[in-house]
């Protein structure tokens, strides 16, 4: 025996010398709170701590009371620890769910200075001052800010991470015929039947290995142990190419159309070998089969939160699977039969059992005889009323059914069982219904959604023979429904199975002054429940939020059911009428890193580059993120950004400029009903648009609100819809939705070709000269290609589409060419325009030019309330006789109120007075507070062409206030401006007719 092996065995004082499913030849060293400890391969952190006789693992949330290990699974409410160091530190991990690995560093959390002596325990000794809802009543004076820092430092269950996450995560999308949640006996049986029938099956379970209770209960199946049967079943599933078995995988949530999300844990040594830490699955199954089992519930009695109090099922889990003795002198407290299996298993390992405390007067005769034959005393009709102890329980006090004292018993382990609650959370995510079963004292599935089934313990069954039979029958039925023929898979024969729970005795709250914990994770006591009822919070949802029951990290997995029963008892209602709170995904916390996957850092919102990006860089463009990386302007040596914008704006007005507008939306709409379709989408008339013509249009939503604008063009065989660059994906998706969901009779194809075409705008008085120099077979004369017309042909020997539109107010040609030729084409434009002093201009320059012209910019000059009337297009909206999206909403009286904020221009009285977007508009000259805001500045620039500051704004009743003087308030400045038409430059549109 190696020295390390010998050391591990000697330090594990609570470990049996043999048994369990751990590898005793592979010792593992780890530290807890800085103390070196050891365990074995196959251990969890919880089992290793118990083996090393670590009693106090953490401190409670509110009162900082010592807490130990309560369960053996994901329902653990108290043993919450921090594992890892530095950037890989993980707070609030459940000790039973942490696989033990070499060098693991684990620490208690939520305690100071240490878990053994926590100064926060002062809250426990002064608990009368901190009842449920105290924070809403206490921190009101003098104000919340006085207390905020203290409260935020005191709240929470662990320290947040501050360093970048060094791990990486993956995403997987999968489809299957049948998704099975749970890899216990029912899940395995169903997966075998469906997999052998040829269905595409995915089965997932949180445990390190499939098998569920078969991995720790004493079960005999087909002449072998249940564990061996589970291992063989897992091997058979692995050999089936149509089955994916996922151990170490959380089923996090179920959404519309049965879309199910999973979180798969990777290799525990991922930090060493560079593999992924977690993988986030999105599964789209045809059918979901819930086989998740059930969670044992605790009992409510005085001081029921001490270390050493553990679920009875967890006690035998640690005993049988890890060969760990949770205590040397045990008391079993129960209200059902299943805890008697713990008695049998503990006795088998020669662990002293002081007594069994059973709340029921009548106990199954055979079971009672079986236990008493072992020499174990059963005290019927009795409950635990209170406990004593410090770092661990040392005594349990008993009380009879009539409230009389029944003495006390010494113990260092109190194994409790309050019945079993099915894991029906996924069913609730899918909007399934529940009903309360008085025999089992729990909520069971009732109404099942389409494409969803529940089997096994999750459906309320606990007899293993019945479970296998039902799982087989359910799988065969699903095979038939999903189009497969089930293979003749034999049903396993169970020759030995654990004691079933049977009828569960209802447990009303005990009377007395002792503190009884309902929710161990959030420190909710029966006194909190009583206070909530006294203050009128009797709705189960209100009760939850007032007391915070079920709102902590375990989401009430061991507390909710007892809370609902307690609420019913306090309000004289049966538990069924109390109901449940709403279970929402995720079932357990999901790492944010797993949700983001690789979409972080530079990939969080990947940069999109113009097709001619490299040439823009050579031109020294100053970039900003506009959804695409786009040049704001092209500063020359020694120029500021404002200087560059002003130079470019003057060049466009006086000569010619080129602008890369490739991100503009270019959606092709084709089909025999394309015109009718766009006529319903646009507020403008699309039916009268002739081939070779363009029209400016507004799109509205159902409420009549402007959501986008742009020019749509009709060619001989299709329409080209231009949208704003920020809205192209959204508008294309909206069009598809209308076609697929509402107007299914229309024969229309929508194709977003934005990235297939580059778009360059040549604008200015010399624009036509530059285009002629480039060379084109399209007649671009004013007579042949007037403003708001379009043509297809060749430019610079490239297939091209030319549209005569302008967002600058100058003679302008928008040229679409294949995106692959963008860089060469832009270089050709610059060379062709060199003789005309062509100037590249950026998006800030374009915004200045369009503001001079008074053109609307949706998103800047509009908001979520803007209608066509607000921007001067109400007459067009009303003139259109046919129906279109949003038309009905424009008939509402509120949409035509005279005092709505309308689009206008502002001429600052002092032309040198700077004005900025965001300034508020007050009616009247030099208004002082108090005054009501009547609008605000939406766009503002200094115009080098007009040699003054100009602005666009929205003002209440603005179209009827032209000529009025208003006060503009910008921070601490106040100045006067006149409401004018938004068109400052070329109001007769003479430039556009060139």
């Amino acid at each position: 025996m190696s020295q390390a092996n010998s050391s591990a065995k000697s330090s594990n004082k609570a470990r049996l010398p043999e048994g369990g499913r751990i590898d005793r030849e592979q010792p593992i060293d780890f530290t807890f709170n800085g103390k070196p400890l050891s365990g074995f391969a196959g251990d969890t952190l919880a089992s290793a701590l118990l083996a090393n006789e670590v009693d106090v693992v953490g401190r409670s949330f509110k009162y900082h009371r010592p807490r130990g290990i309560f369960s053996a699974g994901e329902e653990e409410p108290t043993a919450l620890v921090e594992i890892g160091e530095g950037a890989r530190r993980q707070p609030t991990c459940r000790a039973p769910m942490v696989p033990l690995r070499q060098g693991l560093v684990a620490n208690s959390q939520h305690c100071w200075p240490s878990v053994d002596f926590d100064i926060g325990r002062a809250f426990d000794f002064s608990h009368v001052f901190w009842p449920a809802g105290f924070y809403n009543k206490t921190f009101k004076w003098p104000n919340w800010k006085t207390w905020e820092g203290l409260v935020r430092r005191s709240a929470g269950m662990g320290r947040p991470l501050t360093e970048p996450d060094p791990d990486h995560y993956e995403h997987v999308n999968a489809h299957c015929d049948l998704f099975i949640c749970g890899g216990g006996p029912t899940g395995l049986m169903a997966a075998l039947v469906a997999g052998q029938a040829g269905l595409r099956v995915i089965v997932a379970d949180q445990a390190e290995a499939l098998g569920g209770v078969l991995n720790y209960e004493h079960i005999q199946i087909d002449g072998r142990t249940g564990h061996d049967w589970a291992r063989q079943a897992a091997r058979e599933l692995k050999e089936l190419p149509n089955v994916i078995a996922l151990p170490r995988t959380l089923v996090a949530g179920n959404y519309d159309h049965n879309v199910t999300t999973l979180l798969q844990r990777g290799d525990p040594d991922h930090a060493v070998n560079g593999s992924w830490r977690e993988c986030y699955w999105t599964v789209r199954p045809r059918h979901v089969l819930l086989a998740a089992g059930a969670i044992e519930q605790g009992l409510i009695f005085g001081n029921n939160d001490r270390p050493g109090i553990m679920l009875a099922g967890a006690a035998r889990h640690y005993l049988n699977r890890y060969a760990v003795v949770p205590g040397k002198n045990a008391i079993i407290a129960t209200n059902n039969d299943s805890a008697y299996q713990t008695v049998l298993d503990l006795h088998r390992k020669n662990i002293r059992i002081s007594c069994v405390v059973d709340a029921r007067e009548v106990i199954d005769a055979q079971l009672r005889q079986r236990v008493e034959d072992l020499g174990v005393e059963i005290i019927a009709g009795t409950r635990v009323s209170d406990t004593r102890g410090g770092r661990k329980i040392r005594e349990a006090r008993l009380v009879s059914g009539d409230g009389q004292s029944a003495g006390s018993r010494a113990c260092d382990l109190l194994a409790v069982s309050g019945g079993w609650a099915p894991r029906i959370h996924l069913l609730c995510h899918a909007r399934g219904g529940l009903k309360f079963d008085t025999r089992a004292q729990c909520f069971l599935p009732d109404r099942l959604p389409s494409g969803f089934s529940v089997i096994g313990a999750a459906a309320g069954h606990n007899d293993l023979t019945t479970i296998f039979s039902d799982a087989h029958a359910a799988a065969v039925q699903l095979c038939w429904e999903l189009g497969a023929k089930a293979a003749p898979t034999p049903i396993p024969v169970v020759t030995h199975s654990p004691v079933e729970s049977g009828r569960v005795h209802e447990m009303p709250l005990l009377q007395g002054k002792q503190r009884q914990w309902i929710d161990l994770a959030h420190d909710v006591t029966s006194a909190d429940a009583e206070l909530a009822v006294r203050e009128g919070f009797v709705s189960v949802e209100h009760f939850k939020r007032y007391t915070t029951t079920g709102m902590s990290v375990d989401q009430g997995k061991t507390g909710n059911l007892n809370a609902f029963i307690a609420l019913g008892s306090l309000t004289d209602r049966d538990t069924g009428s109390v109901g449940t709170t709403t279970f929402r995904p995720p079932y357990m916390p999901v790492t944010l890193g797993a949700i983001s996957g690789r979409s972080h850092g530079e990939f969080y919102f990947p940069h999109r580059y113009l097709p001619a990006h490299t040439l823009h860089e050579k031109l020294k463009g100053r970039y900003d993120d506009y959804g695409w990386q786009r040049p704001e302007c092209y500063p020359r040596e020694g120029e500021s950004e404002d200087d560059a914008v002003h130079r470019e704006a003057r060049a466009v007005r006086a000569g010619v400029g080129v602008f890369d507008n490739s991100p503009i939306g270019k959606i092709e709409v084709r089909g025999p009903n394309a015109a009718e379709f766009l006529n319903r989408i646009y507020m403008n008339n699309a039916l009268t648009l002739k081939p070779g013509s363009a029209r400016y249009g507004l799109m509205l939503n159902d409420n009549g609100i402007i959501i986008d604008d742009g020019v749509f063009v009709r060619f001989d065989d299709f329409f080209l819809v231009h949208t704003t660059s920020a809205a192209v994906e959204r508008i294309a998706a909206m069009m598809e939705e209308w076609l697929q969901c509402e107007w299914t009779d229309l024969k229309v194809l929508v194709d977003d070709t934005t990235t297939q075409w580059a778009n360059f705008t040549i604008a200015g008085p010399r624009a036509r000269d530059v285009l002629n120099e480039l060379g084109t077979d399209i007649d671009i004369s004013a007579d042949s290609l007037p403003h708001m017309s379009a043509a297809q042909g060749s430019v610079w020997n490239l297939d091209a589409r030319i549209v005569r539109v302008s967002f600058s107010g100058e003679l302008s040609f928008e040229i679409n060419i294949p995106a692959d030729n963008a860089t060469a084409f832009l270089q050709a434009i610059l060379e062709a325009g060199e003789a005309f002093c062509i100037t590249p201009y950026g998006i800030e320059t374009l915004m200045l030019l369009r503001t001079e012209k008074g053109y609307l910019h949706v998103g800047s000059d509009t908001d979520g309330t803007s209608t066509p009337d607000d921007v001067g297009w109400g007459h067009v909206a009303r003139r259109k006789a046919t129906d279109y999206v949003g038309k009905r909403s424009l008939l509402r009286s509120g949409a035509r109120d005279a005092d709505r904020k309308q689009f206008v221009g502002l001429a600052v009285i002092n032309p040198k007075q700077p004005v900025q977007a965001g300034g508020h508009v007050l009616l009247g000259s030099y208004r002082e507070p108090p005054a009501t805001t009547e609008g605000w500045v939406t766009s503002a620039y200094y115009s080098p062409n007009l040699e003054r500051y100009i602005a666009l704004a929205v003002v209440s009743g603005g179209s009827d206030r032209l000529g009025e003087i208003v006060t503009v308030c910008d921070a601490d400045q106040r100045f006067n401006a006149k409401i004018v038409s938004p068109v400052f430059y070329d109001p007769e549109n003479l430039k556009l007719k060139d």
Side-chain angles (χ1 to χ4, degrees):
M1 182 183 296
S2 67
Q3 183 177 355
N5 196 321
S6 177
S7 175
K9 290 185 177 181
S10 63
S11 66
N12 282 224
K13 297 179 180 179
R15 183 91 66 177
L16 293 172
E18 58 183 17
R21 296 192 174 92
I22 53 174
D23 186 353
R24 296 174 187 266
E25 298 305 316
Q26 189 177 342
I28 292 179
D29 296 321
F30 70 103
T31 63
F32 182 67
N33 291 333
K35 182 179 178 180
L37 300 172
S38 63
F40 296 100
D43 263 325
T44 64
L45 177 60
S47 65
L49 291 176
L50 287 171
N52 284 272
E53 296 186 325
V54 176
D55 299 320
V56 181
V57 177
R59 291 279 172 163
S60 68
F61 171 69
K62 185 170 23 172
Y63 300 121
H64 292 252
R65 289 168 63 89
R67 292 285 174 79
I69 295 168
F70 184 71
S71 75
E74 86 280 358
E75 68 272 20
E76 177 59 46
T78 57
L80 307 174
V81 298
E82 181 180 274
I83 64 171
E85 297 177 291
R88 285 195 164 89
R89 178 173 57 83
Q90 300 175 45
T92 318
C93 297
R94 294 154 180 77
M97 299 298 293
V98 178
L100 199 64
R101 64 178 186 273
Q102 184 64 35
L104 176 70
V105 176
N107 292 282
S108 300
Q109 61 182 28
H110 196 58
C111 54
W112 186 85
S114 72
V115 72
D116 295 320
F117 178 76
D118 184 4
I119 197 170
R121 186 71 186 278
F123 287 105
D124 188 31
F125 301 132
S126 57
H127 64 88
V128 293
F129 298 108
W130 322 113
F134 76 93
Y135 32 82
N136 295 321
K137 305 170 183 176
T138 305
F139 303 113
K140 295 189 295 183
W141 182 91
N143 54 56
W144 163 244
K145 289 185 178 180
T146 303
W147 305 98
E148 183 177 7
L150 174 64
V151 172
R152 294 199 183 279
R153 284 192 297 271
S154 301
M157 302 294 283
R159 295 180 299 151
L161 302 176
T162 57
E163 301 176 55
D165 189 346
D167 296 319
H168 77 273
Y169 306 81
E170 295 292 343
H171 279 186
V172 171
N173 287 277
H175 292 76
C176 64
D177 297 310
L178 179 63
F179 173 75
I180 301 174
C181 173
T186 49
L188 287 175
M189 185 73 251
L192 285 172
V193 174
Q196 291 169 358
L199 291 180
R200 295 173 301 162
V201 178
I202 297 177
V203 55
D205 194 282
Q206 285 194 82
E208 292 293 307
L210 301 181
V213 298
L214 302 179
N215 290 323
Y216 68 89
E217 296 281 21
H218 286 289
I219 297 172
Q220 291 289 326
I221 301 174
D222 290 341
R224 51 186 165 168
T225 67
H227 175 64
D228 289 338
W229 184 90
R231 292 176 62 186
Q232 177 61 33
R235 283 194 293 267
E236 291 179 17
L237 291 177
K238 190 174 182 180
E239 293 172 357
L240 292 172
N242 54 310
V243 175
I244 299 176
L246 299 173
R248 302 196 308 274
T249 302
L250 160 71
V251 182
N254 182 274
Y255 302 88
D256 290 348
H257 310 293
N258 270 340
V259 172
T260 305
T261 56
L262 320 176
L263 183 66
Q264 181 184 13
R265 302 191 302 276
D267 188 339
D269 294 321
H270 64 273
V272 177
N273 58 33
S275 61
W276 48 266
R277 173 184 165 188
E278 291 174 335
C279 182
Y280 192 72
W281 290 63
T282 302
V283 179
R284 293 171 172 83
R286 295 171 61 193
H287 197 96
V288 172
L289 185 63
L290 181 59
I295 298 173
E296 192 169 21
Q297 303 295 290
L299 294 174
I300 301 176
F301 50 86
N303 293 292
N304 58 331
D305 67 329
R306 298 190 191 280
I309 300 176
M310 179 184 292
L311 292 174
R316 63 178 181 271
H317 189 139
Y318 290 115
L319 180 71
N320 297 331
R321 185 166 185 174
Y322 304 108
V324 170
V325 180
K328 299 175 182 178
N329 183 22
I331 293 177
I332 314 299
T334 184
N335 65 352
N336 67 91
D337 288 347
S338 67
Y340 285 85
Q341 185 62 50
T342 304
V343 177
L344 302 175
D345 290 357
L346 290 173
H347 186 272
R348 186 180 296 112
K349 299 300 182 180
N350 298 315
I351 298 169
R352 185 177 184 276
I353 302 171
S354 175
C355 63
V356 177
V357 180
D358 197 324
R360 300 170 298 175
E361 294 285 353
V362 179
I363 304 168
D364 180 79
Q366 291 185 348
L367 182 60
R368 182 168 193 152
Q369 187 63 50
R370 185 179 176 188
V371 171
E372 289 180 343
D373 286 346
L374 300 176
V376 177
E377 180 185 5
I378 298 177
I379 308 176
T382 304
R383 299 172 59 178
V384 175
S385 64
D386 200 357
T387 65
R388 292 290 182 267
R391 295 179 53 82
K392 191 171 185 180
I393 186 173
R394 56 181 173 81
E395 181 183 85
R397 296 188 174 181
L398 312 180
V399 63
S400 62
D402 59 3
Q404 300 299 311
S405 172
S408 61
R409 294 293 181 96
C411 65
D412 62 357
L413 170 65
L414 177 55
V416 299
S417 178
W420 297 79
R423 289 184 177 91
I424 38 69
H425 302 70
L426 205 67
L427 171 64
C428 295
H429 296 175
R431 300 298 184 187
L434 304 176
K435 62 180 179 182
F436 188 74
D437 186 279
T438 56
R439 184 179 186 278
Q441 285 292 298
C442 65
F443 286 92
L444 299 179
D446 184 17
R447 176 180 47 82
L448 299 181
S450 175
F452 205 104
S453 303
V454 186
I455 59 174
H461 306 303
N462 51 33
D463 172 60
L464 200 55
T465 299
T466 303
I467 282 176
F468 275 129
S469 177
D470 288 351
H472 185 277
V476 169
Q477 175 69 20
L478 288 174
C479 288
W480 181 81
E481 292 178 3
L482 298 174
K485 184 177 180 180
T489 307
I491 301 175
V493 178
V494 180
T495 55
H496 177 77
S497 61
V499 177
E500 303 167 27
S501 59
R503 176 174 289 277
V504 179
H505 182 69
E506 186 177 357
M507 303 282 281
L509 288 175
L510 289 167
Q511 301 299 312
K513 296 182 179 180
Q514 66 270 37
R515 296 160 72 194
Q516 307 171 56
W517 267 261
I518 294 176
D519 186 317
L520 294 172
H522 237 192
D523 261 351
V524 180
T525 67
S526 58
D528 295 326
E530 292 166 359
L531 177 62
V533 171
R534 286 201 303 272
E535 298 198 2
F537 296 97
V538 295
S539 162
V540 69
E541 295 286 5
H542 296 163
F543 177 85
K544 168 186 175 178
R545 284 154 182 80
Y546 186 81
T547 63
T548 69
T549 295
M551 290 176 58
S552 190
V553 291
D554 76 326
Q555 288 291 291
K557 292 179 177 63
T558 60
N560 264 3
L561 182 56
N562 280 330
F564 304 150
I565 294 173
L567 179 58
S569 175
L570 291 169
T571 56
D572 294 325
R573 291 181 291 172
D574 62 85
T575 309
S577 63
V578 169
T580 68
T581 53
T582 303
F583 297 109
R584 298 183 179 90
Y587 172 69
M588 281 180 59
V590 174
T591 312
L592 292 177
I595 295 175
S596 65
R598 294 175 179 245
S599 302
H600 61 89
E602 63 178 315
F603 297 108
Y604 173 68
F605 192 83
H607 286 167
R608 304 177 72 180
Y609 295 98
L610 300 175
H613 177 76
T614 54
L615 183 52
H616 289 296
E617 286 187 316
K618 292 180 181 178
L619 295 172
K620 308 297 183 183
R622 178 174 293 176
Y623 286 90
D624 203 348
D625 193 339
Y626 296 89
W628 296 66
Q629 297 298 301
R630 306 180 71 175
E632 297 178 308
C633 57
Y634 300 83
R636 294 175 178 173
E637 187 70 30
E639 270 189 337
S640 68
E641 183 176 332
D642 285 345
D643 292 339
V645 169
H646 295 163
R647 172 181 54 78
E648 293 168 9
R650 285 192 292 265
V652 174
R653 295 283 186 228
V656 64
V658 58
F659 174 69
D660 190 339
N661 198 23
S662 296
I664 189 174
K666 297 177 275 295
I667 301 173
E668 295 182 6
V669 180
R670 301 175 182 269
N673 302 126
E676 172 61 26
F677 171 65
L678 290 180
N679 200 53
R680 300 180 188 181
I681 290 290
Y682 276 108
M683 181 201 75
N684 312 73
N685 197 322
L687 294 174
T688 59
L689 189 65
K690 297 179 180 179
S693 299
R695 181 166 292 162
Y696 174 79
L698 291 175
M699 295 184 189
L700 314 179
N701 64 16
D702 290 337
N703 282 317
I705 304 302
I706 299 170
I707 58 172
D708 200 48
D709 70 341
V711 172
F712 60 101
V713 183
R714 187 169 193 172
F715 292 107
D716 290 331
D717 56 345
F718 73 99
F719 285 84
L720 177 63
V721 173
H722 290 112
T723 71
T724 57
S725 58
V728 55
E729 291 91 353
R730 171 168 53 86
I731 296 301
M734 180 197 75
M735 289 181 170
E736 287 287 2
E737 182 178 359
W738 280 106
L739 286 172
Q740 294 183 31
C741 301
E742 303 297 334
W743 304 327
T744 56
D745 57 318
L746 296 183
K747 297 179 180 179
V748 177
L749 174 67
V750 173
D751 187 12
D752 179 7
T753 64
T754 300
T755 57
Q756 298 176 33
W757 295 86
N759 180 298
F760 295 97
T761 300
I762 303 176
R766 307 301 300 271
R768 187 174 284 111
D769 297 330
V770 174
L771 189 51
N772 280 323
E773 186 70 20
L774 270 175
T776 178
D777 61 1
I778 301 172
D779 186 349
I780 59 173
S781 64
D783 291 335
S784 297
L785 195 68
H787 183 58
M788 300 304 287
S789 62
Q792 298 184 89
S794 172
V795 176
W796 198 60
N797 293 322
L798 295 173
D799 292 336
R801 303 187 295 220
I802 298 180
V803 185
R804 270 290 310 275
V805 293
S806 178
F807 201 43
S808 62
E810 296 294 333
L811 169 66
S812 179
F813 298 89
E814 285 197 2
I815 309 167
N816 289 350
I817 54 98
D820 290 346
N821 304 107
T823 300
F825 187 68
L826 177 56
Q827 183 65 50
I829 293 174
L830 294 172
E831 292 173 358
E834 188 173 357
F836 309 102
C837 299
I838 194 168
T839 299
Y841 63 99
I843 196 165
E844 277 301 308
T845 304
L846 179 66
M847 289 298 103
L848 165 59
L849 295 171
R850 72 93 191 168
T851 301
E852 291 178 338
K853 186 60 179 172
Y855 285 147
L856 181 73
H857 187 210
V858 172
S860 294
D861 302 316
T862 66
D863 59 19
T865 66
S866 303
T867 66
D869 273 293
D870 299 338
V871 298
W873 283 76
H875 62 289
V876 177
R878 285 186 288 275
R879 188 168 62 230
K880 185 174 178 179
T882 57
D883 198 13
Y884 55 88
V885 177
K887 179 179 181 180
R888 182 180 62 178
S889 296
L890 297 179
L891 302 176
R892 295 182 297 192
S893 58
R896 293 179 289 175
D897 286 344
D899 61 349
R900 288 185 62 85
K901 291 179 174 55
Q902 297 169 338
F903 184 55
V904 296
L906 290 181
V908 183
I909 300 301
N910 176 5
K912 303 301 182 184
Q913 170 64 52
V915 58
Q916 299 182 62
H920 286 261
V921 177
L922 308 179
L923 297 181
S925 177
Y926 292 106
R927 291 286 303 277
E928 294 293 335
T932 301
T933 295
E934 298 293 341
W936 49 85
V937 179
T938 58
S939 303
Y941 289 90
Y942 176 76
S943 168
N945 300 298
L946 302 175
E947 297 185 340
R948 62 177 299 142
Y949 281 92
I950 59 173
L952 303 175
V954 289
V955 177
S956 298
S959 59
D960 294 328
R961 296 183 183 276
L962 298 183
E964 285 190 22
I965 302 298
V966 295
T967 301
V968 178
C969 302
D970 187 1
D972 58 348
Q973 291 189 341
R974 290 172 183 267
F975 49 88
N976 279 354
K978 180 188 292 186
I979 298 179
V980 296
S981 164
V983 184
F984 296 97
Y985 176 80
D986 187 23
E988 290 82 18
N989 291 326
L990 298 178
K991 296 282 187 177
L992 299 178
K993 299 174 183 178
D994 290 346

